C-alpha cells in the first residue's frame, strides 16, 4: 500500500515536471516573476542583517555609567555595588573611584587645568555592561539605577545604538510589510497558474473522476506543480540576491575602507536560504490550495 | 444486482428525461438498451455511476442505494464499475499503457501488478504489444478497444457502455459486440446502449427499450 502511495506521488511529480518542461518559456517567466517578487524582501532582510552586524561591530559592548552624588560615602559606594552585583542581567560591573577618574583625566593632558582646582570635582562612578543589547533592557536598567539613593546621574554610553536599533526595527517592519504584500502576489500568481492548468486539463480531470479518482488524487499533481513553481521561484530569488550582494560587495568594502573601517557584505547564510526556499514552497502550496478548492468544484 | 425502482429524472427547465422507470438486472446478464435520440438512454446509464441522480425513485447496485450516495463515496462506487461513455475519452497526450493503467493507479494497485493487468487487458481486446503507441496513431476501432481495455482492466463486475460502436464500420462493430458477449460469459453484467438494432442480433440478449423517458419494453 505504501508502495502504491509513493508510486502515485512519483507519478504526480513526474506529471507536474512534465507540465513545467512542456512550456519552458512560460515556466521560466513564472519563475522569474516569483523570483523577483521574493528577491526584494529576501534581499531587504539580508541587508538589514548586515547593517545590524555592522552596528554591533562598531559599538562593541554598549555600557551604562552610573555617577554617584559628590557627597556619596564609601558605605554608599558599597551599597550601590552590592545592588549592582545582584542584577542578573549585567555581565560586567567596574568601579571607577573619583581619584582614579581624576588621574585618568590628568593623564589625558588636563593635568594643568586640574592642578588649579581646590578639590576633586569628579564623582565616584560605576560602569556596567548589560548581558543583552536590547533597547528595552537598557531603558529598564536606566530607570532602575536612576531611582537608587546616591545615584546622581545615569548615562547610556551608546544611546545611539538604541536609535540604531529603533531604525533597524523600523526598516525590518517595512521589509516585513513588503514581504507580506509580495508573498500575497506570489499566492495570486500561483492561484492563476493552477487555474489555467485546471482549465487546460479539464478533459483529463473529467476522465480520472469518471474512473473513480478521489479529490485528493486529482489535486495531487496540482499541489506538486504549485510547490515546484514556488521552489523554482525561490531558487531564482536566491540567485538574484546572491548575485546582487556579489556585485555590491566590492563597492561597499571600498567605501568602508575610505572611512577606516573593515566591513564585508555577507550573502544569505544557509538558514536564510533554507527559510527562503521553504517560504517559497509554502506560498506555492497555499496558492494551489486556494485555486484547486475553488476551480475543481466548479469543473464538476 | 442493478435495480431501478420508479426512477424519474426531471432537469431544471422541466424536461423529463426518465419517467418512473423500473427494472432489475441479474448478475452476468447482457442487456441492450435502445431507443431513439433523446429517449433517456444516456441519462439512465449515467445514474449507475452517479453522474446523474434521480429526481425521484431509487437506484440500487448490489443492494446499495446509490441515488443518495454521499459525494465522498462516489469515487469508490465508480472504481467497481467498468465505464465506456459516448466518446472513448482517451487521453491523447499519454500512450496506450498510461491510458489503460489509469484506473489501477487511481485504485492504488502496485505498479508491477498493474503492468501485468494492462498487458492482459490489451491481449483480451486484441492489441497485445501495442502498449507504447499513442492513441492518435490508432484507428477508430483500435481506440475503442483501448477504451474497452481501460474499462475492463480492473475486472469490474458491471460493465456499462454508451454507444461503443458509434462511428465504427460493421466489421469493427461486430468484433466489439463479440468482446462484450465474451465478458458476459465470464459473469460480468454488461449494459450496452446502442442505436444499432443489428448489434447482438445473433445472441438475442435482453433488450430494454426507452421512448420519451418511458420504459416500453424489457422491464420484466
Amino acid at each position: 500500500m505504501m508502495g502504491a502511495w509513493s508510486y502515485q506521488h512519483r507519478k504526480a511529480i513526474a506529471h507536474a515536471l512534465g507540465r513545467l518542461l512542456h512550456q519552458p518559456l512560460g515556466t521560466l517567466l513564472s519563475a522569474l516573476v516569483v523570483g523577483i517578487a521574493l528577491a526584494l524582501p529576501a534581499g531587504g532582510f539580508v541587508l538589514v542583517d548586515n547593517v545590524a552586524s555592522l552596528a554591533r561591530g562598531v559599538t562593541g559592548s554598549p555600557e551604562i555609567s552610573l555617577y554617584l552624588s559628590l557627597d556619596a560615602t564609601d558605605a554608599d559606594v558599597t551599597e550601590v555595588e552590592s545592588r549592582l552585583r545582584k542584577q542578573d542581567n549585567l555581565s560586567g560591573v567596574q568601579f571607577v573611584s573619583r581619584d582614579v577618574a581624576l588621574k585618568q583625566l590628568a593623564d589625558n593632558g588636563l593635568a594643568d587645568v586640574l592642578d588649579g582646582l581646590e578639590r576633586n570635582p569628579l564623582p565616584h562612578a560605576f560602569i556596567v555592561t548589560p548581558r543583552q543589547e536590547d533597547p528595552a533592557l537598557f531603558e529598564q536598567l536606566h530607570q532602575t539605577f536612576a531611582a537608587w539613593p546616591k545615584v546622581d546621574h545615569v548615562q547610556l554610553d551608546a544611546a545611539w545604538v538604541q536609535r540604531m536599533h529603533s531604525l533597524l526595527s523600523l526598516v525590518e517592519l517595512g521589509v516585513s510589510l513588503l514581504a507580506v504584500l509580495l508573498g500575497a502576489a506570489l499566492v495570486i500568481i500561483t492561484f492563476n497558474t493552477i487555474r489555467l492548468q485546471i482549465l487546460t486539463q479539464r478533459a483529463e480531470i473529467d476522465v480520472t473522476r469518471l474512473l473513480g479518482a478521489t479529490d485528493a488524487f486529482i489535486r495531487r499533481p496540482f499541489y506538486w506543480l504549485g510547490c515546484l513553481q514556488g521552489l523554482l521561484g525561490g531558487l531564482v530569488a536566491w540567485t538574484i540576491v546572491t548575485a546582487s550582494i556579489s556585485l555590491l560587495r566590492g563597492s561597499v568594502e571600498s567605501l568602508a575602507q575610505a572611512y577606516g573601517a573593515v566591513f564585508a557584505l555577507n550573502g544569505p547564510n544557509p538558514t536564510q536560504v533554507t527559510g527562503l526556499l521553504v517560504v517559497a514552497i509554502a506560498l506555492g502550496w497555499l496558492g494551489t490550495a486556494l485555486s484547486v478548492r475553488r476551480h475543481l468544484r466548479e469543473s464538476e | 444486482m442493478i435495480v431501478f425502482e420508479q426512477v424519474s429524472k426531471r432537469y431544471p427547465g422541466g424536461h423529463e428525461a426518465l419517467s418512473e422507470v423500473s427494472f432489475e438486472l441479474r448478475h452476468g446478464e447482457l442487456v441492450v438498451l435502445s431507443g431513439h435520440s433523446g429517449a433517456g438512454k444516456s441519462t439512465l446509464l449515467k445514474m449507475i455511476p452517479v453522474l446523474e441522480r434521480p429526481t425521484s425513485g431509487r437506484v440500487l447496485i448490489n443492494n446499495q442505494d446509490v441515488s443518495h450516495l454521499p459525494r465522498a463515496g462516489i469515487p469508490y462506487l465508480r472504481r467497481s464499475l467498468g465505464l465506456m461513455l459516448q466518446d472513448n475519452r482517451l487521453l491523447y497526450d499519454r500512450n496506450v499503457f498510461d491510458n489503460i493503467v489509469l484506473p489501477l493507479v487511481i485504485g492504488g494497485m502496485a505498479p508491477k501488478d498493474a503492468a501485468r493487468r494492462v498487458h492482459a487487458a490489451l491481449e483480451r481486446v486484441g492489441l497485445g504489444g501495442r502498449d507504447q503507441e499513442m492513441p492518435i496513431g490508432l484507428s477508430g476501432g483500435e481506440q475503442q478497444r483501448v477504451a474497452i481495455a481501460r474499462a475492463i482492466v480492473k475486472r469490474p463486475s458491471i460493465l456499462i457502455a454508451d454507444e461503443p460502436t458509434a462511428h465504427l464500420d460493421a466489421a469493427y462493430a461486430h468484433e466489439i459486440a463479440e468482446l462484450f458477449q465474451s465478458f458476459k460469459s465470464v459473469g460480468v453484467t454488461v449494459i450496452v446502449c446502442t442505436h444499432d438494432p443489428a448489434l447482438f442480433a445473433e445472441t438475442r440478449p435482453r433488450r430494454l427499450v426507452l421512448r420519451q423517458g418511458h420504459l416500453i419494453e424489457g422491464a420484466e
Side-chain angles (χ1 to χ4, degrees):
Chain A
M1 201 64 191
M2 194 65 187
W5 181 85
S6 68
Y7 176 67
Q8 289 191 349
H9 273 279
R10 286 202 307 275
K11 276 273 181 191
I13 293 169
H15 191 256
L17 279 172
R19 288 280 157 196
L20 290 173
L21 294 173
H22 184 65
Q23 298 165 317
L25 184 63
T27 302
L28 181 67
L29 289 175
S30 293
L32 281 174
V33 170
V34 172
I36 291 167
L38 282 173
L40 289 170
F45 281 124
V46 169
L47 284 178
V48 167
D49 204 34
N50 272 284
V51 173
S53 73
L54 173 67
R56 276 194 297 275
V58 168
T59 58
S61 298
E63 296 166 336
I64 301 174
S65 300
L66 288 77
Y67 296 101
L68 306 189
S69 54
L70 285 171
D71 61 349
T73 62
D74 286 350
D76 295 328
V77 170
T78 308
E79 170 63 19
V80 171
E81 183 167 11
S82 164
R83 289 186 180 212
L84 287 171
R85 299 282 177 204
K86 286 177 188 165
Q87 293 283 322
D88 293 336
N89 39 25
L90 299 181
S91 62
V93 176
Q94 185 195 349
F95 175 62
V96 181
S97 72
R98 52 192 306 186
D99 295 336
V100 170
L102 188 70
K103 187 175 180 307
Q104 284 176 353
L105 212 57
D107 290 347
N108 282 340
L110 293 172
D112 293 342
V113 178
L114 295 173
D115 282 345
L117 296 173
E118 289 179 5
R119 60 184 181 88
N120 184 352
L122 301 175
H124 292 305
F126 284 94
I127 300 169
V128 299
T129 312
R131 284 194 192 281
Q132 295 167 346
E133 291 180 30
D134 178 7
L137 174 63
F138 275 62
E139 189 54 38
Q140 180 212 321
L141 291 172
H142 180 276
Q143 287 179 10
T144 304
F145 298 155
W148 287 354
K150 295 297 176 183
V151 173
D152 195 39
H153 180 62
V154 179
Q155 182 181 310
L156 292 176
D157 289 344
W160 74 274
V161 171
Q162 199 171 347
R163 288 194 284 274
M164 172 71 88
H165 271 287
S166 302
L167 186 64
L168 281 176
S169 297
L170 188 66
V171 173
E172 222 166 35
L173 182 66
V175 173
S176 299
L177 279 173
L178 186 70
V180 169
L181 287 174
L182 292 172
L186 194 157
V187 170
I188 293 167
I189 291 165
T190 310
F191 181 93
N192 195 47
T193 305
I194 299 300
R195 183 182 71 87
L196 293 173
Q197 283 296 326
I198 289 172
L199 289 175
T200 308
Q201 293 174 243
R202 179 158 280 181
E204 186 176 336
I205 292 167
D206 287 347
V207 169
T208 50
R209 200 170 258 147
L210 196 64
L211 296 174
T214 56
D215 285 349
F217 182 91
I218 295 169
R219 286 173 183 168
R220 200 171 290 136
F222 295 111
Y223 275 115
W224 278 112
L225 186 65
C227 290
L228 284 172
Q229 184 174 287
L231 176 65
L232 284 175
L235 291 171
V236 169
W238 176 31
T239 308
I240 291 172
V241 172
T242 306
S244 304
I245 295 283
S246 298
L247 282 172
L248 289 171
R249 186 171 287 138
S251 306
V252 170
E253 280 177 13
S254 301
L255 185 67
Q257 278 170 4
Y259 283 90
V262 178
F263 174 63
L265 199 56
N266 294 314
N269 60 41
T271 309
Q272 288 170 328
V273 172
T274 308
L276 171 66
L277 296 180
V278 168
V279 166
I281 291 169
L283 291 173
W285 183 91
L286 179 63
T288 306
L290 295 172
S291 193
V292 293
R293 181 172 294 184
R294 181 181 171 87
H295 297 109
L296 282 181
R297 278 290 171 99
E298 279 177 2
S299 73
E300 278 187 65
Chain B
M1 171 158 262
I2 298 176
V3 179
F4 274 58
E5 287 182 357
Q6 301 289 308
V7 173
S8 297
K9 176 69 183 179
R10 187 182 291 275
Y11 287 106
H15 171 65
E16 189 167 55
L18 289 177
S19 180
E20 298 190 344
V21 171
S22 297
F23 64 87
E24 187 175 332
L25 302 186
R26 288 175 295 277
H27 183 73
E29 201 171 6
L30 190 151
V31 178
V32 175
L33 180 63
S34 59
H36 60 81
S37 291
K41 305 187 295 295
S42 293
T43 301
L44 187 150
L45 286 186
K46 283 178 180 175
M47 286 188 176
I48 299 171
V50 200
L51 289 165
E52 295 281 1
R53 290 184 193 262
T55 311
S56 62
R58 293 199 306 166
V59 178
L60 291 100
I61 297 175
N62 296 329
N63 299 318
Q64 184 188 15
D65 181 1
V66 299
S67 38
H68 297 100
L69 193 65
R71 187 178 174 277
I74 294 172
Y76 302 97
L77 167 71
R78 289 182 188 165
R79 288 180 197 180
S80 69
L81 307 170
L83 289 175
M84 273 189 73
L85 294 185
Q86 267 190 359
D87 52 29
N88 58 44
R89 303 272 189 112
L90 296 180
L91 300 175
Y92 288 90
D93 60 346
R94 301 180 187 199
N95 63 23
V96 167
F97 180 92
D98 285 338
N99 268 279
I100 298 174
V101 83
L102 193 53
L104 304 178
V105 173
I106 290 168
M109 184 176 280
K112 276 186 181 174
D113 295 337
R116 253 197 311 275
R117 287 271 193 103
V118 170
H119 290 120
L122 277 171
E123 291 291 342
R124 191 86 173 83
V125 298
L127 289 175
R130 312 275 301 268
D131 56 322
Q132 294 305 311
E133 293 185 28
M134 299 302 284
I136 201 73
L138 304 177
S139 69
E142 287 168 336
Q143 289 183 24
Q144 286 292 67
R145 285 162 185 257
V146 173
I148 294 169
R150 188 179 63 187
I152 62 163
V153 72
K154 54 195 171 184
R155 297 174 187 165
S157 57
I158 299 170
L159 181 60
I160 299 161
D162 193 359
E163 302 286 0
T165 58
H167 318 298
L168 296 184
D169 61 30
Y172 276 135
H174 185 70
E175 280 180 27
I176 283 171
E178 281 186 346
L179 260 177
F180 283 121
Q181 194 65 44
S182 70
F183 297 143
K184 173 190 179 280
S185 66
V186 292
V188 178
T189 304
V190 184
I191 311 167
V192 182
C193 172
T194 180
H195 269 104
D196 182 0
L199 205 62
F200 302 104
E202 294 168 14
T203 53
R204 307 181 68 164
R206 178 178 169 191
R207 287 186 183 271
L208 297 177
V209 182
L210 284 167
R211 183 183 295 160
Q212 292 178 335
H214 295 269
L215 188 63
I216 58 166
E217 188 183 322
E220 296 302 322

